[in-house]
Amino acid sequence: MEKVSGNNFDKGFAQWLDYQQAPWGKLRYRVAQANLRQHLPPSPARILDLGGGNGLDSILLVKLGYTAVLIDFSLEMVVQGQKLAAQEQVSDQISFEVGDATQFVAGEQFDIILCHNLLQYVGNVTAVLQNIHQMLRPGGIFSFIITNPHTETLAYALRDYDLVAAKENLNKSTKYVETFDTHIQRYTDDELKSMLQNCGFTLLEQYGIRAICDFMADNERKFDPDFYEQLEQLETAVSNKHPYKLLARFYHFVCQK
Ligand SMILES: C[S@@+](CC[C@H](N)C(=O)[O-])C[C@H]1O[C@@H](n2cnc3c(N)ncnc32)[C@H](O)[C@@H]1O
């Protein structure tokens, strides 16, 4: 994998914001929150959001009474996260730091650690998972979201009718991400589950996020509020069910130490 830096994410911020505001971006955050709420300890509790970007996940959580520390190596993400926290009037509950998540070692242990769509950009995933395990208090909750390579193959074929791309995609271990101009590493859920287990985590539940939306070609319809509402309800209903969770755009593992 090529070296990726905060600069890649600074430059991609405008496109990232468009994604977050689109129905498929909204679904990613809404379904993740619904999954997480099944497992979180009652507030007050301390959250560490590693590679937390502009803070959408943790800002939603601090509104429930938690406090959070967000670490990200993109200055633009951090600045935009601080602005969003101010707009949402939660600045006193969340602090933002510019830092490298692969090097970060906190002086405290956290009740909840989020690592959402970070580890596909990182070379040594096991080292980061081991570090997360150390920073989590015994009994604490670890929420881990990462891309599912199988969905891309299916979406090329079923949504785009691009069978050549689907076939080419089958055995690729990396994928180019235009928004951040870099390649990501891809892992199957078996590989990820074995890494989690080897690092000492107990898997409480495996979810999938966006098992339906990404196979629908008609993006316009997803902007219709009534259609979106039904889609979100369906996505939430299938997020922990076989076989849907195995086909969803993102794997979401909720673990305990
Ligand atoms: C796809 S975004 C996800 C952001 C956020 N977790 C979310 O799901 O909304 C990936 C984030 O990871 C950050 N990142 C990637 N590698 C990092 C590293 N080594 N240290 C800190 N942040 C990193 C990027 O700056 C970016 O904000």
Side-chain angles (χ1 to χ4, degrees):
M1 264 165 74
E2 73 266 25
K3 185 98 179 111
V4 64
S5 75
N7 205 24
N8 292 69
F9 297 89
D10 293 343
K11 286 188 188 152
F13 183 75
Q15 231 179 307
W16 176 244
L17 203 59
D18 286 345
Y19 157 75
Q20 286 184 323
Q21 289 167 354
W24 37 95
K26 215 168 133 191
L27 279 175
R28 139 74 184 90
Y29 292 92
R30 300 270 303 176
V31 177
Q33 293 282 318
N35 298 343
L36 263 176
R37 283 187 197 192
Q38 310 296 317
H39 305 278
L40 293 183
S43 62
R46 287 279 285 160
I47 300 172
L48 172 64
D49 189 355
L50 269 189
N54 57 331
L56 231 57
D57 284 306
S58 25
I59 286 173
L60 288 167
L61 291 174
V62 298
K63 283 180 166 182
L64 302 175
Y66 300 101
T67 54
V69 177
L70 183 148
I71 307 294
D72 200 286
F73 72 1
S74 156
L75 180 61
E76 183 65 14
M77 288 280 185
V78 164
V79 167
Q80 295 295 338
Q82 284 168 326
K83 279 190 194 160
L84 190 61
Q87 265 168 34
E88 299 292 324
Q89 301 182 321
V90 292
S91 298
D92 52 343
Q93 288 162 258
I94 178 165
S95 65
F96 292 82
E97 285 178 34
V98 177
D100 187 341
T102 64
Q103 309 292 325
F104 182 78
V105 184
E108 69 174 296
Q109 280 194 321
F110 291 85
D111 304 297
I112 303 159
I113 299 186
L114 312 180
C115 182
H116 293 173
N117 283 318
L118 164 71
L119 290 187
Q120 57 268 47
Y121 296 97
V122 162
N124 191 344
V125 171
T126 303
V128 182
L129 287 175
Q130 284 167 341
N131 191 16
I132 288 172
H133 192 265
Q134 279 183 17
M135 293 190 288
L136 192 62
R137 72 156 173 80
I141 295 294
F142 174 43
S143 172
F144 176 28
I145 296 177
I146 191 163
T147 40
N148 174 351
H150 304 306
T151 316
E152 284 151 16
T153 307
L154 285 169
Y156 279 132
L158 303 179
R159 185 189 60 201
D160 305 339
Y161 290 87
D162 189 342
L163 304 184
V164 174
K167 187 150 178 280
E168 277 174 6
N169 192 60
L170 261 185
N171 299 314
K172 282 192 181 161
S173 62
T174 62
K175 180 175 189 292
Y176 179 68
V177 175
E178 203 189 321
T179 306
F180 301 124
D181 186 25
T182 188
H183 284 81
I184 54 167
Q185 194 68 42
R186 294 146 34 112
Y187 305 94
T188 65
D189 68 326
D190 284 341
E191 288 169 331
L192 293 164
K193 280 190 283 193
S194 121
M195 284 189 233
L196 287 168
Q197 195 181 13
N198 292 340
C199 292
F201 294 101
T202 302
L203 181 60
L204 295 179
E205 184 87 57
Q206 179 178 348
Y207 296 94
I209 298 177
R210 294 207 325 243
I212 312 290
C213 173
D214 290 45
F215 303 119
M216 292 174 147
D218 185 354
N219 278 344
E220 281 308 305
R221 276 193 89 162
K222 300 172 194 170
F223 285 87
D224 174 274
D226 292 337
F227 187 81
Y228 174 83
E229 191 52 41
Q230 288 175 9
L231 183 57
E232 187 181 309
Q233 283 176 20
L234 180 60
E235 294 282 10
T236 309
V238 301
S239 73
N240 69 343
K241 293 190 174 43
H242 272 285
Y244 313 100
K245 63 182 175 185
L246 301 179
L247 303 176
R249 180 75 183 86
F250 302 107
Y251 296 126
H252 186 187
F253 302 98
V254 180
C255 307
Q256 192 161 35
K257 173 170 172 180

